[in-house]
Amino acid sequence: MKKLIDWIEQRTGLQGLLHEVLFERIPGGARWRYVWGSTLSFCFFVQILTGVVLWMAYSPSAHSAWESVYYIQHEMTGGWFLRGLHHFVAQAMHVLLVLHLLQVIIDGAYKAPREVNYWFGIVLLMLTLGLGLTGYLLPWDQKGFGATKVATSLMGIVPVIGPSLQKLVVGGADYGHHTLTRFFALHAGVLPGLMIVAIAAHVALFRRHGITAKQPYRKPEARFWPDQVLMDGVACLAVLATVVYLTERHHGAELHAPADPTQPFNAARPEWYFLFLFEFLKLDFLTQWFGHHGELVGAIVIPGLVMGVLSAMPLLGNWRLGHRFNLGFLAAILVGATLLTVQSLRSDAANPGFQAAVAQARTEADRMVTLIRAAGGIPRDGAASLLKQDPATVGPRLFAQHCASCHRHGGHDGLGIVSAEPPSAPDLRGFGSAAWLRGLLQADTITNSAYYGGTKFRAGKMVRYVREKLPKLQASEPVALEAMIAAVVAEADLPADRAGAADRTTLVEAGRRHVATTFGCTDCHAFRKPDEEATAPTLTGWASRDWMIRLVGDPTHVDFYGSRNDRMPSYLKEGRLTERDIGLIVDWIRGDTDPARWLTGPTAMATNGVSAARR
Amino acid sequence: MESDPGIPSRNRREFLTGAAACTVGACCGAVPLVSGLIAWLDPLTRGAGGGDWIQVAEVASIPADGTPVRISVVTSRSDAWTRESAVPVGVVYLRRTGPAEVVALHSVCPHAGCFVDYQVDRRAFFCPCHDSTFAVDGSINDPRSPSPRPMDTLAVEVRGGSVWLRFQNFRPGIQAKVALT
């Protein structure tokens, strides 16, 4: 054994190197305040390790980036944990960098002769921020896409070279395949490569100058091994424990729905460690003092100046009050950044519109997973193609855009935004259900804003009927009313009602007679047979898919409101919406959102084939 | 030193070999470096495309009361190696200002490039990034707006009941409206 060690030592000098590494002198003994550099090295090591494995499963193109990350997150064994580690260690690195910088400044470890080493540290800080920025885009989800668009737009406002710089970073005039290939090359190649070089130089220079021991010494001089190594190890373990805890708690890193440049993404925010900059750009003084250059000043000039002062600290530190200035400056920046971050989080927490957008983004992300699972995989056209066919996703979006200026859905616009204005048309949540119809047929609710309150029908025949005639009929025939409601609701054939439909056959049969006789609905409405004298919307197929599509398409049709139509546009007739779009809204309102109904492509067939074969 | 007859020749020799070594080294380095640089600069030679007239909607389908409608501009587009024949290249808001007059507003915020959403209940455009609004005609109506200019309009023509427009993207963050080329 001894011979082997000697043989290696003679040819490599390994022992000497090891000795130098482990037996670095520490005047005043091991201390907790020296652990930050080691925790950062540890984090970088974890990022390389997890990053390389993620790389093995990642595919950088606009057609496959999101899909490959989906596979890592939701299908690969341990994929979510690996991705979570990579995500949260990246966040930890930003925190640890700040702590390391603080310790270096407080202890004066940046002063001569350690200036160059300090500058390597600043370079490492910028490389880490660059890695965070480039990594954010790679999943190609709504959040990363939106944030990167903003970041690259800011790049474009740099005078003279801005537009070219932006084009080079984006890989063309528009976002696409080459944006991803370029960001990925930066994230997995260029930046980590530079980082390895910078870390090597940083550590080599640190060894050359030795540790900046904090005075006064508490203990006698010691060596790096074993006391300081133990402390560093414990610190790394604490970092790791925090990261594992966060990964477990959030089930890894979030993956939003695939990037879709045609949809507004109102939950757009940068990663939390850039929030302070985001909030800073909102400050009034920028536009007040610098007018139209506010953006340039806020996003480029001021951060540039701050980095400049940070870099100049070793030189400033030579002045009499230099060190105090440096301490004060750093403290001011950190307090400012913290306040801005808190301000940003607080204003978002108090903003119901933003909260609704975040909830909606989560719903869409979850729905995406449901759809992919139902389809048995992602079709060739990409995950977004599934989302675009999905009534549960597209329905509320179209509703918010085209219907919510008058109607509501459960009090909001379908996407969770509650308007300050009262609705001028019925609330369509649960339309076609017995509960909805019961509400319409009640004297005290029919003129609510959720029913006819905002329409011209508030003074119409139906309201008069419900107020004057129906209560008397109801008193004499309480059972008949429920039967009548059951009969009309049976026309809707809502998916939610299909389960118990067979048990209600007798009730519905009886109800159909009451519609015509007891309640005289057919005096105005047609019901289950043509009625040319009908003056109100037909109840034949009421709230069924076909009935609703036809009504939305043209409410002025004689089967519906005819010339008595209030303000409802004829969406199909006027070309405002296609029949397919109306179908998506209707399916969503009717709760007919089971993907098995419309997943009829080759993928669904293939899965059906597989399950059939298994049987 | 220069007067010493023996050394100058050696110095000259050393200088010449040194210069030769540097030249050879530079040549070896330059070829991969320059070829890499040229390929890396390729995006600068790529134009934004667009600028063609595209039919986007029928005038009749836009509400006469001036409420904007969101329309995806669909046309053919190349993304590096992919050629797609009908793909949304952008989103615009169309607004009727007269029986046959239509205004098109770009959905990208002229401030930082976020997606501006029309919010029906506010009767205003809303940019989520800085919680600021634009009036229904695209002008800045928010005293705290960080935007350097109103929402960008696009060239529109009404031809026989159809709305045609020239779709372009504009540089955000500056006061002047400059099309990206």
Side-chain angles (χ1 to χ4, degrees), chain A residues 19-262:
Chain A
H19 194 273
E20 208 178 299
V21 169
L22 286 179
F23 296 101
E24 160 93 15
R25 291 175 50 231
I26 306 179
R31 293 181 74 155
W32 286 109
R33 64 191 306 129
Y34 306 147
V35 302
W36 304 117
S38 295
T39 57
L40 280 163
S41 307
F42 166 71
C43 284
F44 184 66
F45 172 75
V46 174
Q47 292 306 72
I48 294 273
L49 213 72
T50 51
V52 166
V53 183
L54 286 169
W55 185 348
M56 290 182 190
Y58 177 68
S59 169
S61 99
H63 291 165
S64 59
W66 188 90
E67 286 73 6
S68 66
V69 176
Y70 164 83
Y71 197 79
I72 294 170
Q73 182 71 21
H74 295 287
E75 302 292 338
M76 265 170 67
T77 314
W80 68 268
F81 190 78
L82 182 77
R83 187 168 166 259
L85 274 188
H86 196 74
H87 175 78
F88 286 109
V89 169
Q91 322 225 336
M93 273 182 95
H94 289 86
V95 177
L96 293 169
L97 266 170
V98 170
L99 292 171
H100 189 38
L101 179 68
L102 260 176
Q103 177 246 328
V104 163
I105 299 291
I106 291 172
D107 287 359
Y110 60 102
K111 289 183 188 164
R114 297 185 174 82
E115 299 97 324
V116 176
N117 205 16
Y118 173 81
W119 288 327
F120 272 110
I122 296 292
V123 168
L124 284 166
L125 171 74
M126 292 202 270
L127 287 173
T128 309
L129 289 172
L131 281 163
L133 201 71
T134 47
Y136 207 51
L137 172 76
L138 298 182
W140 204 243
D141 62 353
Q142 284 282 56
K143 188 175 69 171
F145 183 79
T148 306
K149 248 188 129 174
V150 172
T152 51
S153 294
L154 290 176
M155 217 169 271
I157 61 173
V158 175
V160 190
I161 58 160
S164 300
L165 190 69
Q166 186 184 3
K167 242 181 182 179
L168 286 174
V169 170
V170 170
D174 219 340
Y175 300 81
H177 295 318
H178 275 179
T179 318
L180 278 165
T181 52
R182 281 183 175 237
F183 270 63
F184 187 48
L186 283 175
H187 186 79
V190 179
L191 297 178
L194 290 174
M195 206 144 174
I196 289 172
V197 173
I199 290 175
H202 197 62
V203 173
L205 285 172
F206 165 67
R207 293 287 170 180
R208 183 186 163 94
H209 300 304
I211 200 160
T212 311
K214 176 77 180 162
Q215 309 271 10
Y217 298 160
R218 287 196 201 144
K219 282 182 277 180
E221 178 174 310
R223 304 276 157 179
F224 188 57
W225 175 268
D227 292 15
Q228 189 64 51
V229 172
L230 179 65
M231 282 187 185
D232 288 5
V234 170
C236 292
L237 194 65
V239 171
L240 187 68
T242 313
V243 165
V244 168
Y245 167 75
L246 288 171
T247 306
E248 270 294 326
R249 204 186 132 180
H250 297 277
H251 197 75
E254 236 180 339
L255 179 65
H256 282 258
D260 182 354
T262 65

Side-chain angles (χ1 to χ4, degrees), chain A residues 5 8-21:
Chain A
I5 292 172
I8 294 172
E9 172 60 17
Q10 265 179 12
R11 279 151 187 83
T12 61
L14 196 65
Q15 233 175 357
L17 190 71
L18 205 66
H19 194 273
E20 208 178 299
V21 169

Side-chain angles (χ1 to χ4, degrees), chain B:
Chain B
M1 261 228 201
E2 279 163 39
S3 59
D4 191 323
I7 296 169
S9 67
R10 224 193 120 180
N11 262 357
R12 196 177 304 128
R13 203 183 107 75
E14 221 166 62
F15 172 77
L16 285 174
T17 9
C22 288
T23 315
V24 170
C27 286
C28 290
V31 172
L33 200 73
V34 171
S35 47
L37 193 67
I38 289 172
W40 184 71
L41 292 173
D42 171 80
L44 295 181
T45 66
R46 308 272 159 193
D52 299 331
W53 287 95
I54 304 165
Q55 185 180 357
V56 289
E58 298 301 309
V59 177
S61 70
I62 307 168
D65 63 1
T67 304
V69 283
R70 191 164 80 216
I71 301 277
S72 290
V73 180
V74 175
T75 184
S76 57
R77 183 185 90 137
S78 291
D79 174 12
W81 55 87
T82 307
R83 178 73 184 169
E84 280 164 303
S85 52
V87 65
V89 292
V91 176
V92 296
Y93 291 98
L94 298 180
R95 230 185 114 234
R96 282 265 279 277
T97 49
E101 281 165 54
V102 176
V103 172
L105 295 168
H106 206 302
S107 67
V108 170
C109 183
H111 173 228
C114 297
F115 196 122
V116 179
D117 192 10
Y118 180 71
Q119 293 199 334
V120 169
D121 63 308
R122 295 194 197 190
R123 306 257 185 281
F125 292 98
F126 169 73
C127 183
C129 288
H130 292 91
D131 285 340
S132 88
T133 56
F134 296 93
V136 75
D137 64 355
S139 60
I140 296 173
N141 67 348
D142 180 349
R144 290 198 54 191
S145 172
S147 182
R149 59 173 195 263
M151 287 171 76
D152 295 314
T153 51
L154 292 151
V156 180
E157 269 183 21
V158 175
R159 301 179 193 166
S162 299
V163 182
W164 292 68
L165 62 77
R166 280 180 65 193
F167 184 75
Q168 288 175 301
N169 288 306
F170 300 93
R171 270 180 67 191
I174 54 172
Q175 193 184 7
K177 179 181 158 195
V178 182
L180 284 172
T181 49

Side-chain angles (χ1 to χ4, degrees), chain A residues 116-420:
Chain A
V116 176
N117 205 16
Y118 173 81
W119 288 327
F120 272 110
I122 296 292
V123 168
L124 284 166
L125 171 74
M126 292 202 270
L127 287 173
T128 309
L129 289 172
L131 281 163
L133 201 71
T134 47
Y136 207 51
L137 172 76
L138 298 182
W140 204 243
D141 62 353
Q142 284 282 56
K143 188 175 69 171
F145 183 79
T148 306
K149 248 188 129 174
V150 172
T152 51
S153 294
L154 290 176
M155 217 169 271
I157 61 173
V158 175
V160 190
I161 58 160
S164 300
L165 190 69
Q166 186 184 3
K167 242 181 182 179
L168 286 174
V169 170
V170 170
D174 219 340
Y175 300 81
H177 295 318
H178 275 179
T179 318
L180 278 165
T181 52
R182 281 183 175 237
F183 270 63
F184 187 48
L186 283 175
H187 186 79
V190 179
L191 297 178
L194 290 174
M195 206 144 174
I196 289 172
V197 173
I199 290 175
H202 197 62
V203 173
L205 285 172
F206 165 67
R207 293 287 170 180
R208 183 186 163 94
H209 300 304
I211 200 160
T212 311
K214 176 77 180 162
Q215 309 271 10
Y217 298 160
R218 287 196 201 144
K219 282 182 277 180
E221 178 174 310
R223 304 276 157 179
F224 188 57
W225 175 268
D227 292 15
Q228 189 64 51
V229 172
L230 179 65
M231 282 187 185
D232 288 5
V234 170
C236 292
L237 194 65
V239 171
L240 187 68
T242 313
V243 165
V244 168
Y245 167 75
L246 288 171
T247 306
E248 270 294 326
R249 204 186 132 180
H250 297 277
H251 197 75
E254 236 180 339
L255 179 65
H256 282 258
D260 182 354
T262 65
Q263 286 304 321
F265 184 64
N266 293 347
R269 286 293 175 270
E271 194 64 300
W272 66 265
Y273 44 81
F274 285 119
L275 268 182
F276 74 96
L277 194 59
F278 171 80
E279 191 68 19
F280 180 68
L281 291 178
K282 282 194 199 174
L283 295 182
D284 286 341
F285 85 91
L286 287 172
T287 34
Q288 278 166 13
W289 293 2
F290 305 104
H292 302 299
H293 300 295
E295 197 67 9
L296 180 68
V297 172
I300 314 273
V301 178
I302 293 182
L305 286 175
V306 169
M307 285 315 284
V309 173
L310 222 51
S311 306
M313 279 190 178
L315 308 176
L316 297 172
N318 290 334
W319 296 349
R320 205 161 55 84
L321 291 175
H323 183 63
R324 291 201 178 160
F325 168 81
N326 288 343
L327 277 176
F329 184 80
L330 191 64
I333 293 290
L334 288 179
V335 169
T338 310
L339 287 178
L340 284 170
T341 307
V342 170
Q343 160 77 15
S344 178
L345 293 171
R346 278 178 64 174
S347 69
D348 280 347
N351 179 349
F354 178 76
Q355 294 302 327
V358 169
Q360 181 62 22
R362 294 230 167 94
T363 309
E364 278 178 22
D366 292 344
R367 182 66 179 172
M368 195 67 255
V369 179
T370 310
L371 293 177
I372 293 171
R373 296 254 159 93
I378 300 169
R380 216 163 213 277
D381 289 344
S385 72
L386 288 175
L387 218 49
K388 284 197 159 67
Q389 300 172 63
D390 177 35
T393 307
V394 184
R397 284 182 190 165
L398 289 169
F399 183 88
Q401 213 187 325
H402 296 278
C403 317
S405 56
C406 302
H407 292 279
R408 297 288 179 272
H409 188 271
H412 57 80
D413 72 341
L415 298 175
I417 306 283
V418 179
S419 172

Side-chain angles (χ1 to χ4, degrees), chain A residues 455-466:
Chain A
T455 69
K456 74 174 189 184
F457 304 116
R458 118 179 236 123
K461 275 164 103 177
M462 183 73 188
V463 171
R464 233 177 304 137
Y465 170 84
V466 168

